[in-house]
């Protein structure tokens, strides 16, 4: 499906109350979900302005077959976005009205005595200054190319390469067709935030992956050696899976799971495009994967990046409310179960838990509670000491975790914890904890309260 039609049907779905923005975007079947998410959320942000412009230019009266949602998306991109690039007959149609729409926009600015598009937005819809500072990050896919070749390619396309950054200030100051090598991650290039590379040959051929810097941390910190067996528990759409494959140099084995069939299909496409081999992708609830299956007996590394509230995503959408306390509790319960299940794989050495949430309930609290359940079998590892933003000090050692935010790290909001098997004085429990047996449907009823679960755990041990 074309970008604009996909965006229009997400808008229509939102108006009909068929779901939230994220779920509608991910269920749209459109391959480039981030591009679609960005277009829809920006269109929503500008919706009050767009409605006035459409009225003023009488666009919907003149073009009776143009659905209003599609009109909004097209006019957003024409006047405030990247300029309508694809779109076939709709592109031609909206361009015919360009002069009228531009004149209407100019009149609106004069009326409101403003000069910038952003100033047309109500204060609560204007992007926070921090959000506009998040650059466009480009991960070089080392399965297909190398950093030097990608730098040369962009130079030939007229971009100026400024070398390796030494401070976040340099990233913040990027503008025009300039780019840098990131100061923290070795295979990450940094462009100004407005840079759109979705149509770039390197992207469409899988040589580069458009991935926020914070979302590159989990695979980078899991750091499995080439040849390792690795599980990606909640894999779709697969950016971290392909990053893991690149770190493994396609040597070893990745078992990737996701419960959502549409997202699994998208993941399959993305992994193929990225040249990932040695990955078994399954549409399966990770909680039903049996850790004792001999297939997983060599799994030493696991990445757990489960569904979360997404409160760290910087694109603020009008009408999108903060998650309720009940929703956060439900998410945290699920996250604890997934994390605990992952810790029960018998050969596990190292695990990364991550979310794109800012809520302590989904982050430090989940890690603390699961570590408590596992006694002294696993410990939090302090990694990346130079990373400027650490976990909230809500339990001893929580500062070992990493946090990320637009203001402090120029990224989306994110949380990462690295756990390792303790080598001395403690071994992983010899039998599976009750919560894990429960996941596998072995004699306990689903949804037990934690206290009851503990009782069952004792019974299992007896
Ligand atoms: N790691 C992914 C990446 O970097 O591209 C993003 C993962 S996204 C935050 C969370 C994913 O967890 C969703 O795709 C969702 O379908 C999946 N999920 C939710 N419940 C699951 C379960 N029980 N088992 C496996 N996957 C699940």
């Amino acid at each position: 499906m074309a970008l604009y039609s996909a965006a229009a049907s997400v808008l229509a779905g939102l108006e009909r109350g068929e779901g939230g923005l994220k779920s509608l975007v991910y269920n749209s079947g459109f391959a480039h979900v981030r591009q679609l998410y960005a277009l829809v959320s920006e269109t929503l942000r500008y919706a009050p302005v767009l409605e006035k412009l459409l009225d003023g230019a009488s666009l919907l009266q003149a073009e009776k077959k143009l659905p209003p949602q599609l009109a909004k998306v097209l006019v957003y991109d024409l006047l405030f976005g990247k300029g309508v690039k694809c779109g076939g007959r709709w592109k031609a149609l909206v361009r015919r009205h360009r002069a009228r729409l531009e004149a209407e926009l100019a009149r609106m600015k004069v009326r409101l005595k403003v000069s910038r598009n952003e100033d047309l937005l109500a204060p609560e819809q204007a992007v926070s200054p921090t959000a506009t500072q998040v650059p466009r990050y480009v991960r070089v896919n080392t399965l297909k190319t190398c950093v030097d070749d990608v730098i040369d390619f962009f130079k030939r396309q007229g971009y100026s390469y400024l070398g390796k950054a030494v401070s976040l200030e340099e990233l913040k100051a990027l503008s025009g067709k300039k780019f840098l090598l990131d100061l923290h991650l070795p295979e990450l290039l940094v462009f100004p935030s407005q840079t759109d590379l979705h149509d770039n040959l390197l992207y469409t051929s899988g040589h580069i992956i458009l991935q926020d810097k914070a979302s590159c941390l989990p695979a980078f910190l899991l750091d499995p050696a080439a040849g390792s067996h690795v599980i990606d528990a909640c894999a779709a759409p697969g950016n971290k899976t392909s990053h893991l494959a690149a770190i493994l140099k396609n040597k070893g084995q990745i078992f990737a799971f996701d419960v959502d069939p549409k997202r699994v299909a998208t993941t399959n496409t993305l992994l193929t495009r990225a040249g990932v081999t040695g990955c078994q992708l399954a549409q399966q609830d990770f909680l039903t994967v049996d850790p004792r299956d001999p297939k997983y007996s060599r799994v030493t590394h696991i990445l757990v990046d489960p569904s979360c509230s997404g409160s760290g995503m910087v694109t603020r959408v009008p009408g999108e409310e903060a998650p309720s306390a009940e929703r956060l509790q439900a998410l945290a319960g699920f996250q604890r179960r997934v994390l605990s299940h992952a810790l029960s794989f018998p050969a596990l050495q190292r695990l990364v838990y991550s979310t794109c949430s800012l809520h302590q309930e989904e982050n430090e609290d989940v890690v603390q509670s699961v570590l408590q359940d596992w006694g002294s079998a696993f410990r939090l590892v302090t990694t990346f000491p130079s990373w400027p933003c650490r976990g909230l000090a809500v339990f001893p050692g929580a500062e070992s975790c990493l946090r990320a935010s637009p203001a402090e790290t120029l990224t989306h909001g994110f949380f990462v914890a690295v756990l390792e098997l303790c080598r001395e004085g403690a071994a992983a429990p010899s039998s599976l904890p009750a919560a894990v047996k429960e996941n596998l449907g072995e004699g306990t009823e689903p949804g037990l309260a934690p206290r009851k679960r503990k009782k069952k755990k004792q019974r299992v041990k007896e």
Side-chain angles (χ1 to χ4, degrees):
M1 201 197 298
L3 174 65
Y4 296 119
S5 315
S9 44
V10 171
L11 283 180
L14 283 171
E15 284 169 18
R16 290 192 294 265
E18 288 168 0
L21 175 62
K22 268 201 193 146
S23 63
L24 290 171
V25 165
Y26 279 115
N27 291 331
S28 66
F30 190 72
H32 309 304
V33 282
R34 281 191 189 259
Q35 187 186 18
L36 179 60
Y37 184 90
L39 178 60
V40 178
S41 49
E42 281 300 286
T43 304
L44 285 168
R45 214 159 61 85
Y46 273 88
V49 178
L50 290 167
E51 277 154 21
K52 285 188 196 126
L53 289 173
L54 290 176
D55 256 10
S58 309
L59 185 66
L60 295 175
Q61 287 85 336
E63 301 291 347
K64 297 251 182 301
K65 288 192 177 150
L66 178 65
Q69 296 85 1
L70 187 55
K72 273 189 210 166
V73 176
L74 288 165
V75 174
Y76 165 77
D77 225 14
L78 182 77
L79 299 180
F80 306 115
K82 321 272 184 214
V84 180
K85 285 188 184 147
C86 47
R89 69 190 170 109
W90 298 119
K91 171 170 146 181
L93 179 150
V94 78
R95 281 190 169 172
R96 278 206 302 278
H97 294 272
R98 183 185 199 135
R100 262 184 102 108
L101 287 160
E102 282 176 346
E104 199 55 40
L105 176 61
R107 268 197 292 277
M108 192 185 270
K109 283 181 174 169
V110 171
R111 243 189 346 263
L112 296 171
K113 298 194 177 68
V114 299
S115 56
R116 299 178 324 145
N117 292 335
E118 278 277 310
D119 297 334
L120 294 169
L121 301 175
E124 71 277 7
Q125 282 157 348
V127 175
S128 67
T130 48
T132 57
Q133 289 167 2
V134 175
R136 157 64 66 203
Y137 292 102
V138 170
R139 177 166 66 77
V140 174
N141 179 11
T142 52
L143 292 175
K144 289 204 157 180
T145 183
C146 63
V147 171
D148 286 348
D149 285 358
V150 172
I151 290 173
D152 282 347
F153 180 91
F154 278 114
K155 281 193 202 161
R156 286 198 301 278
Q157 290 205 324
Y159 288 87
S160 309
Y161 176 55
L162 307 181
K164 184 175 172 180
V166 290
S167 71
L168 287 177
E169 291 310 310
E170 281 180 79
L171 268 54
K172 213 183 273 181
L174 271 177
S175 65
K177 289 189 87 172
K178 298 191 181 115
F179 70 110
L180 287 158
L181 187 62
D182 185 57
L183 65 160
H184 291 113
L185 301 182
E187 280 129 17
L188 200 65
L189 300 174
V190 193
F191 290 76
S193 57
Q194 315 76 20
T195 314
D196 184 4
L197 297 171
H198 287 92
D199 296 327
N200 191 287
L201 177 65
L202 285 187
Y203 174 67
T204 54
S205 62
H207 285 64
I208 57 170
I209 314 284
L210 304 179
Q211 188 172 356
D212 183 57
K213 175 171 169 177
S215 133
C216 294
L217 290 173
F220 175 73
L221 295 175
L222 188 62
D223 194 25
S228 304
H229 285 205
V230 180
I231 283 180
D232 189 350
C234 300
N239 281 336
K240 296 182 189 75
T241 322
S242 77
H243 195 186
L244 285 170
I247 292 166
L248 290 170
K249 302 186 172 70
N250 262 342
K251 291 182 186 131
Q253 182 65 54
I254 301 177
F255 301 98
F257 302 95
D258 202 282
V259 77
D260 183 319
K262 280 196 184 154
R263 288 168 67 87
V264 169
T266 309
T267 309
N268 207 9
T269 310
L270 295 187
L271 295 183
T272 308
R273 190 168 71 192
V276 174
T277 58
C279 173
Q280 287 182 25
L281 173 64
Q283 189 242 308
Q284 187 177 348
D285 178 345
F286 174 65
L287 295 173
T288 67
V289 177
D290 190 343
R292 295 159 305 184
D293 185 330
K295 210 171 150 183
Y296 309 118
S297 62
R298 290 175 56 199
V299 170
T300 50
H301 292 72
I302 300 187
L303 196 155
V304 177
D305 185 39
S307 299
C308 69
S309 62
S311 55
M313 303 293 287
V314 290
T315 333
R316 289 170 59 227
V317 178
E320 206 172 51
E321 285 173 10
S324 64
E326 291 75 32
R327 168 107 178 108
L328 281 181
Q329 278 318 309
L331 283 166
F334 163 72
Q335 290 152 354
R336 281 196 300 270
R337 291 181 76 192
V338 177
L339 178 53
S340 197
H341 191 74
L343 291 180
S344 68
F345 281 72
L348 182 68
Q349 297 290 326
R350 190 173 169 94
L351 177 147
V352 166
Y353 171 77
S354 60
T355 73
C356 58
S357 164
L358 300 172
H359 290 96
Q360 180 190 326
E361 291 92 330
E362 300 179 86
N363 298 330
E364 290 86 355
D365 289 357
V366 167
V367 171
Q368 181 185 21
S369 140
V370 172
L371 280 176
Q372 270 167 6
D373 280 355
W374 280 82
S376 54
F378 291 92
R379 65 182 177 97
L380 259 176
V381 184
T382 307
T383 48
F384 225 153
S386 61
W387 189 257
C389 192
R390 314 303 302 190
L392 304 177
V394 291
F395 64 91
E399 297 93 331
S400 296
C401 306
L402 308 184
R403 274 184 169 254
S405 70
E408 285 170 285
T409 54
L410 290 184
T411 64
H412 288 259
F414 216 78
F415 173 86
V416 188
V418 183
L419 274 58
E420 259 182 13
L421 182 72
C422 291
R423 282 164 214 285
E424 284 166 30
S430 52
S431 72
L432 295 179
V436 177
K437 290 198 165 223
E438 193 184 297
N439 293 336
L440 295 168
E442 294 184 5
T444 54
E445 55 283 32
L448 288 181
R451 189 181 285 193
K452 281 191 182 166
R453 245 194 238 142
K454 280 210 170 120
K455 276 191 187 158
K456 290 262 180 190
K457 188 170 173 176
Q458 282 161 8
R459 224 177 292 150
V460 169
K461 280 189 174 166
E462 278 159 13

